[in-house]
Amino acid sequence: MKGKVYRSTGSWYHLKDEHGKFYSARIKGIFKIDDITSTNPIAVGDVVEYELENEAEGSVIITDILERKNYINRQSPRAKHQHHIIAANLDQSILIATLKEPRTSQGFIDRFLVASEAYHVPAVVLFNKSDLYGKKETAAFDNLKGMYEDAGYQVLLCSVKQGEGLNELGALLTSKQTLFSGHSGVGKSTLINWLLPELQLKTKDVSEWSGKGLHTTTFAEMYDLPGGGSIVDTPGMREFGLVDISKQELSHYFPEMRALLQDCQFNNCLHVEEPGCAIKKAFVEGRLHEDRYISYRTILDSIEEKQY
Ligand SMILES: Nc1nc2c(ncn2[C@@H]2O[C@H](COP(=O)(O)OP(=O)(O)OP(=O)(O)O)[C@@H](O)[C@H]2O)c(=O)[nH]1
Ligand SMILES: [Mg+2]
Ligand SMILES: [Zn+2]
């Protein structure tokens, strides 16, 4: 029997079968998939095979995992050399960012976009809490919007408080399996509550936070939309550490750079100080946004190459 993983606590899973019935599931034995050392072998969005364990209690045992179309992972915040799979089998990912309460850095957004590119998940950047933006934030948003749109990404501006951009968001979600990701407190669960009011997901006032790193949503969970499609709500992340991306391939995951790569003189060009570099040239001529190039260089410097 086949089911889809809707919730994962790390040791327990909620599965939905083909008829819409939910089960509590656990894993038997140890799963090792694709040689990935992952802190979570099974993630929300995975399709799995299961066997009934106790019909009366609705409990089942996961026996196999079907091949993933894709997934998004990041460095485990607890174990640097392990991955944490955020969600699998995605049609798109939406990075929920804010420019105030809290502020999302460009570096964080760019890392998330790189991970989405690396696993072929189309990404959208949504700036929330537009009602809080003053002159400074509005100018910053205009710059970011232009920059990401030039790179090929769709950018949305929303305010759950004032109802801005929400119909546009709703239209984007129809019939798709979508990941909602971002820092804690940016409004992921609040946006989902607007889309699915009967859920009443827990949300928390930024002023109620007792410290950094505490988040309101504690486990990833998927919710079906009435018109088809589903959203994966996730706990807020403080950092987005990339895994398994080499220096050599990084520029392939900046779409606006990818288009220029074949014009570099050397095919192993890292676009730093090499002669005849098409990317450096585009940057100098103003055809590549300075902040994206800086972000590229920062990420490039942060990549520790594996020692063979
Ligand atoms: N002003 C304003 N506040 C908002 C908006 N959207 C959400 N909030 C508030 O932001 C706070 C945090 O929202 P949550 O939905 O809990 O944030 P989250 O991203 O789910 O956070 P975690 O679950 O911790 O990852 C709540 O107090 C919301 O009411 C908005 O558009 N404008
Ligand atoms: Mg939440
Ligand atoms: Zn180059």
Side-chain angles (χ1 to χ4, degrees):
M1 287 174 287
K2 261 185 230 146
K4 195 187 264 186
V5 178
Y6 270 65
R7 183 169 205 247
S8 152
T9 68
S11 46
W12 282 91
Y13 304 89
H14 282 182
L15 301 187
K16 193 172 101 170
D17 74 6
E18 281 145 344
H19 311 288
K21 189 172 176 216
F22 278 90
Y23 296 93
S24 286
R26 58 192 182 86
I27 308 177
K28 198 166 157 183
I30 294 166
F31 270 71
K32 189 121 168 51
I33 303 144
D34 302 337
D35 288 331
I36 308 176
T37 28
S38 158
T39 50
N40 59 331
I42 291 176
V44 170
D46 268 327
V47 180
V48 295
E49 293 272 3
Y50 65 88
E51 284 167 4
L52 274 180
E53 184 183 40
N54 184 324
E55 184 135 35
E57 288 176 9
S59 66
V60 302
I61 296 200
I62 296 171
T63 55
D64 201 6
I65 169 171
L66 274 69
E67 199 182 329
R68 292 179 175 133
K69 177 173 90 172
N70 60 28
Y71 57 88
I72 292 187
N73 66 358
R74 65 164 178 144
Q75 217 171 56
S76 159
R78 268 162 258 117
K80 203 178 155 209
H81 293 289
Q82 286 197 314
H83 304 193
H84 180 83
I85 299 167
I86 300 172
N89 299 318
L90 298 162
D91 295 309
Q92 63 184 352
S93 63
I94 302 191
L95 195 268
I96 319 288
T98 43
L99 295 175
K100 223 179 163 174
E101 296 182 23
R103 199 184 77 86
T104 308
S105 70
Q106 193 204 319
F108 182 88
I109 300 174
D110 288 340
R111 282 170 184 274
F112 180 84
L113 294 178
V114 165
S116 294
E117 289 294 328
Y119 297 101
H120 310 290
V121 179
V124 173
V125 189
L126 184 161
F127 289 90
N128 191 30
K129 307 198 187 188
S130 67
D131 55 285
L132 299 177
Y133 298 3
K135 243 187 178 158
K136 197 180 84 194
E137 289 81 14
T138 304
F141 168 75
D142 289 340
N143 173 49
L144 289 164
K145 180 179 157 74
M147 182 176 86
Y148 286 120
E149 284 181 347
D150 285 348
Y153 294 105
Q154 186 173 352
V155 176
L156 285 183
L157 182 64
C158 290
S159 163
V160 189
K161 211 168 179 176
Q162 293 181 332
E164 183 177 4
L166 299 175
N167 292 331
E168 212 180 325
L169 170 64
L172 212 63
L173 301 172
T174 312
S175 312
K176 289 189 175 136
Q177 193 155 298
T178 303
L179 171 69
F180 272 23
S181 203
H183 285 318
S184 189
V186 295
K188 298 179 291 298
S189 301
T190 308
L191 284 161
I192 295 174
N193 278 337
W194 181 83
L195 293 156
L196 296 164
E198 71 284 4
L199 271 183
Q200 303 201 14
L201 295 180
K202 250 206 305 194
T203 63
K204 201 189 273 172
D205 241 52
V206 177
S207 59
E208 281 174 48
W209 288 348
S210 49
K212 264 194 166 178
L214 278 183
H215 36 233
T216 312
T217 303
T218 42
F219 299 114
E221 182 156 4
M222 184 155 67
Y223 303 100
D224 287 333
L225 293 163
S230 54
I231 312 173
V232 181
D233 190 15
T234 58
M237 308 180 280
R238 275 182 71 178
E239 280 164 15
F240 197 99
L242 294 169
V243 276
D244 273 359
I245 288 172
S246 69
K247 285 183 191 277
Q248 201 58 68
E249 64 190 319
L250 181 64
S251 58
H252 294 257
Y253 305 139
F254 281 72
E256 72 273 49
M257 294 190 192
R258 189 163 58 216
L260 303 168
L261 290 174
Q262 73 273 20
D263 297 329
C264 288
Q265 187 178 332
F266 299 106
N267 63 12
N268 62 350
C269 187
L270 290 179
H271 327 299
V272 182
E273 296 294 350
E274 297 91 336
C277 172
I279 287 183
K280 213 49 198 289
K281 184 161 180 270
F283 165 62
V284 170
E285 290 172 1
R287 289 180 284 118
L288 174 64
H289 199 295
E290 181 178 11
D291 293 339
R292 283 279 282 177
Y293 181 70
I294 292 172
S295 202
Y296 165 77
R297 291 287 301 268
T298 308
I299 298 173
L300 189 72
D301 287 344
S302 74
I303 294 175
E304 289 174 31
E305 301 280 50
K306 273 188 190 145
Q307 303 294 319
Y308 292 101

